């Protein structure tokens, strides 16, 4: 090999090693490099650049000319001493190197020598250094350059982490895992990692860092926020401009500080705008009537940039003035002044004040506060109004007494003070649950100095006070009196039968038999039962006329005998099982005549028929309730002769008296009649059929409520109706519905709907609960089932329950779980109540008092009637999902199992569903609900409620 320097085309010198002994055979010429340090290399590469002549281009060289050369290497930890003899056998062969292209052909046919480049991997090299050696075996070569190198992954920055220069593994199939280090002002998010591949490429970036607070990402580095900007959270976000009324003056701000006069509340996040206390409420006005003083105002003009405005009412009483100075003397108001809903922390813009002194001067300051009030030195934001209360008359009612109480009712009476004026118009009784006094009042009026307050909750203390109304206005209230209702006793409500109560209280059946026999013999059974049952409920108990040896005795006991000469029959209005039903008038001397209905017993009756007929009177006579048909009396005793007919003259008679007489042969000589109040609109079923679609939902609910009042009364008396159906409800001219038809509570002979059952009884199948059909188990709970059917009849305007299905099919389908679907236009809540009444298990049906209070809630909150079943759900009862049954905040929270927060809502002034529908998650937090899961559940329920309300508003439905 010769070291030769040549010139390239640009006349630059090129140092080469050349060999070209192509004419001579058996060539073995070696060229060796100096010692090369391995450094960090694991894999070493050699790039050779050379020219190699094509043997064909050299004449007469065939057989000796070669076109390749060989590459060898030798590893050592140190350079070999200079005198070391070269021993080819020490070297390991890397490869035989051939030229890719020795020559290229020019256009003129000349062949031009070309430079070749070949790269080989040498090794593995593990010692500190090595030599390279080139063996020529008879080729014509010029070695232009030898480049020896290794590969590495270069230092880099990825995901805000820096990675150092890294040498790949010797084994090309495994990667080197490298951990990065966060760049300045960045923090680790997830361990930053990269993998260095054999070719010096970075692979699989994992994890990374993000900029610390006060910094933002810029070109892979973290830069400090400029003044006027801030970054409160670590992250790869840009710095934000300072929120309104705040600023930052330094670099790398993590918060912007509030400008003078502006603040952040403790709960405000540092990214929120700074705010200030509100200005004073506007347009404060007062209204006063005899009992309450109302303050109303408008929100402040400047809310300070916040939404959490509340109001506090501060009260001073300023009576008279200091004689010397003429300055009015003011002092804080008396503590018994009551504010509804409360004096402090009001969210609304009004308050009612009661129990104030009469003839006094009050000054009320309404203060607007928000979350930053009191943080600075700003003056309080007050609006003032001064009110002078009127002179109310002195209280005319002194002591209010409790006469009796039951689970749901309390009877009260009172006497007037001695010098009471004679012109008392009526009394107003106000009452509230002691526990809930801030929240809701109820009131009722009565002309008499007594009242029965119904619809109360069992075992609850109520506060009552009474005031009189005279021609001159209201007088002051009596002091407060507290009375409580009796505890709930499910046995009484369910079983309904006095006999069962007696059984339980006496303690054994045999004892009962003996006792009953004894009492029947002595004729004192009824008295005994009454005496026993009074302590249970405080309400009179129903006495079954069948327990009388002589039913006539029961009629005498409970029904007034009327002289037939006081009765004027006008016309026949219907036909009953025993005889015609007429309308007419009853004129008892000294009283106004009243419209009555007269049920008659056909002439030629048997004694048994007479007893059955009068049975109804002896039942009806025991009741006294505005929703139960009132018995005016009976005619049983008078001898009646055509000749001395003593009916009084009805001036406008259409049928008198001869036509009437044709109905009454009176062959037995004794006319038998039952006289009851006249109900102008007749039976409810036929009435609704003729007025299809003519009532509002609220009117229909009003009818159902009346029936529920009557049935609550009956069930509290222990009376089971057994034939509750729209045909047995009568309607007066004011749409008041009253329960009637009591005669048939034992035998249902007269009801055309009644069919014989397997047990032999005759039962109106479609209206009757399954356990009553199957085993004759009638109870107030089976009456509740029938009540559900009546609700359905009302909502469908007198449609026949189960339409044309046969009785047998009705029984089977009920057994299989089918229930009547909601009638068209029926609110969801009402159908839900029907389904509740139709629970298979009688114990799971609601009691009548619960039905009543539920209907009352619907009436008080008519928006609960807006969602119609047909709007929301498919017709098929099988597809009917459970829809929510709630109409108050309490019911709503129960339905989402968040009852524990009832007080939070009520205390914050949220009392209606409408009021909560606009609540945000912040509002939920503010009223003290801290658990995130609970906040979420409540807010998502509110959202769906909002949707429902929206849907209803869109449909334009009017109640
Ligand atoms: O639907 P109606 O007109 O109302 O037909 C029946 C019919 O007598 C047979 O019962 C009517 N009826 C019964 N009692 C009364 C009453 N107290 N006032 C008015 N109508 C009555 C009932």
């Amino acid at each position: 090999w010769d070291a030769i320097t040549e010139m390239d085309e640009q006349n630059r010198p090129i140092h080469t090693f050349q060999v070209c002994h192509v004419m001579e055979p058996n060539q073995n010429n070696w060229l060796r490099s100096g010692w090369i340090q391995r450094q960090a290399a694991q894999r070493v590469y050699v790039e050779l650049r050379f020219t190699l002549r094509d043997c064909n281009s050299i004449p007469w060289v065939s057989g000796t000319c070669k076109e390749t050369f060989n590459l060898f290497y030798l590893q050592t930890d140190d350079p070999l001493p200079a005198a070391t003899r070269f021993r080819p056998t020490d070297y390991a062969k890397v490869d035989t190197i051939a030229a890719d292209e020795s020559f290229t052909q020019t256009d003129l046919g000349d062949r031009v020598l070309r430079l070749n480049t070949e790269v080989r991997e040498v090794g593995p090299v593990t010692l500190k250094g090595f030599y390279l050696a080139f063996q020529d075996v008879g080729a014509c070569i010029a070695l232009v350059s030898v480049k020896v190198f290794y590969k590495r992954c270069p230092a880099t920055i990825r995901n805000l982490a820096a990675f150092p220069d890294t040498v790949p593994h010797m084994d090309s199939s495994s990667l080197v895992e490298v951990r990065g280090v966060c760049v300045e002002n960045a923090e680790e998010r997830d361990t930053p990692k990269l993998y260095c591949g054999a070719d010096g490429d970075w692979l699989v970036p994992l994890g990374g860092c993000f900029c610390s607070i006060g910094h933002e990402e810029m070109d892979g580095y973290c830069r400090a926020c400029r003044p006027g900007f801030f970054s409160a959270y670590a992250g790869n976000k840009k710095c934000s401009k300072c929120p309104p009324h705040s600023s930052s003056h330094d670099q790398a701000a993590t918060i912007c500080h509030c400008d003078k006069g502006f603040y952040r509340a403790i709960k405000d996040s540092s990214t929120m705008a700074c705010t200030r206390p509100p200005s004073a409420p506007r347009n404060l006005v007062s209204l006063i009537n005899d009992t309450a003083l109302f303050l109303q105002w408008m929100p402040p003009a400047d809310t300070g940039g916040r939404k959490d405005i509340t109001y506090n009412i501060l009260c001073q009483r300023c009576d008279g003035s200091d004689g010397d100075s003429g300055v009015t003397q003011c002092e804080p108001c008396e503590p018994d002044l009551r504010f509804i809903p409360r004096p402090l922390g009001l969210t609304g813009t009004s308050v009612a004040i009661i129990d104030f002194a009469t003839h006094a001067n009050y000054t009320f300051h309404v203060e607007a506060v928000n979350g930053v009030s009191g943080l600075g030195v700003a003056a309080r934001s007050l609006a003032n109004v001064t009110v002078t209360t009127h002179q109310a008359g002195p209280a005319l009612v002194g002591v209010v007494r409790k006469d009796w109480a039951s689970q749901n009712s309390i009877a009260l009476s009172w006497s007037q003070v001695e010098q009471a004026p004679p012109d008392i118009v009526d009394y107003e009784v106000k009452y509230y649950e002691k526990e809930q006094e801030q929240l809701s009042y109820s009131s009722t009026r009565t002309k008499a100095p007594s009242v029965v307050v119904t619809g109360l909750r069992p075992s609850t203390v109520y506060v009552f006070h009474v005031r009189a109304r005279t021609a001159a206005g209201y007088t002051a209230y009596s002091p407060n009196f507290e009375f409580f209702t009796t505890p709930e006793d499910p046995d009484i409500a369910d079983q309904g039968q006095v006999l069962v109560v007696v059984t339980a209280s006496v303690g054994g059946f045999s004892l009962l038999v003996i006792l009953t026999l004894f009492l029947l013999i002595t004729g004192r059974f009824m008295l005994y039962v009454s005496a026993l049952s009074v302590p249970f409920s405080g309400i009179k108990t129903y006495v079954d006329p069948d327990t009388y040896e002589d039913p006539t005795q029961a009629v005498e006991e409970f029904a007034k005998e009327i002289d037939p000469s006081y009765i004027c029959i006008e016309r026949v209005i219907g036909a009953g099982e025993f005889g015609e039903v007429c309308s007419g008038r009853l004129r008892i001397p000294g009283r106004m005549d009243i419209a009555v209905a007269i049920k008659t017993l056909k002439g030629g009756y048997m004694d048994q028929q007479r007893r059955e007929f009068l049975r109804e009177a002896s039942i009806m006579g025991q009741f006294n309730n505005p929703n139960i048909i009132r018995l005016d009396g009976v005619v049983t005793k008078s001898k009646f002769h055509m000749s001395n007919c003593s009916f009084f003259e009805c001036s406008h008679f259409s049928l008198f008296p001869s036509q009437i007489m044709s109905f009454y042969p009176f062959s037995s000589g004794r006319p038998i009649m039952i006289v009851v109040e006249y109900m102008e609109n007749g039976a409810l079923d036929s009435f609704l059929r003729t007025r299809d679609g003519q009532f509002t939902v609220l009117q229909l609910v009003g009818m159902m409520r009346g029936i529920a009042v009557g049935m609550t009364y009956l069930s509290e008396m222990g009376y089971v109706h057994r034939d509750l159906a729209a045909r047995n409800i009568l309607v007066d001219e004011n749409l008041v519905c009253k329960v009637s038809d009591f005669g048939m509570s034992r035998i249902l002979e007269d009801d055309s709907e009644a069919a014989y059952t397997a047990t032999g009884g005759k039962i109106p199948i479609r209206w009757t609960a399954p356990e009553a059909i199957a085993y004759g188990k009638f109870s107030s709970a089976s009456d509740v089932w029938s009540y559900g059917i009546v609700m359905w009849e009302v909502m469908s305007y007198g449609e026949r329950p189960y339409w044309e299905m046969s009785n047998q099919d009705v029984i089977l389908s009920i057994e299989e779980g089918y229930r009547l679907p909601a009638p068209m236009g029926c609110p969801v809540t009402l159908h839900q109540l029907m389904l509740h009444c139709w629970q298979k298990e009688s114990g799971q049906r609601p009691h009548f008092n619960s039905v009543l209070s539920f209907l009352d809630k619907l009436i008080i909150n008519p928006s609960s009637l807006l969602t119609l079943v047909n709007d929301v759900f498919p017709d098929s009862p099988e597809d009917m999902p459970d829809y929510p049954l709630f109409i108050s905040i309490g019911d709503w929270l129960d339905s989402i199992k968040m009852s524990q927060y009832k007080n939070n809502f009520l205390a914050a002034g949220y009392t209606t569903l409408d009021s909560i529908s606009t609540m945000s998650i912040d509002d939920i937090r503010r009223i003290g609900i801290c658990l995130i899961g609970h906040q979420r559940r409540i807010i998502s329920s509110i959202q769906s409620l909002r949707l429902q309300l929206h849907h209803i508003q869109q449909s334009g439905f009017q109640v």
Side-chain angles (χ1 to χ4, degrees), residues 412-430:
L412 303 172
S413 60
W414 53 88
S415 47
Q416 293 157 12
V417 293
E418 271 179 15
Q419 298 87 29
D423 61 345
I424 291 178
V425 180
D426 58 11
Y427 297 92
E428 184 191 41
V429 181
K430 274 204 169 183

Side-chain angles (χ1 to χ4, degrees), residues 573-576 581 597 599 629 676-680 682-683 685-686 730:
I573 54 174
V581 182
K599 290 188 168 190
I629 283 289
V676 299
E677 66 182 304
Y678 181 66
M679 300 291 285
E680 290 77 1
D685 61 338
S686 49
L730 292 168

Side-chain angles (χ1 to χ4, degrees), residues 64-93:
T64 54
C65 179
K66 301 285 183 311
E67 292 182 343
T68 62
F69 64 98
N70 298 317
L71 175 64
F72 289 81
Y73 81 109
L74 168 67
Q75 294 192 66
T76 59
D77 272 331
D78 296 298
L80 294 172
T84 309
R85 211 168 62 86
F86 178 78
R87 277 208 313 263
T89 49
D90 291 344
Y91 290 76
K93 184 169 174 181

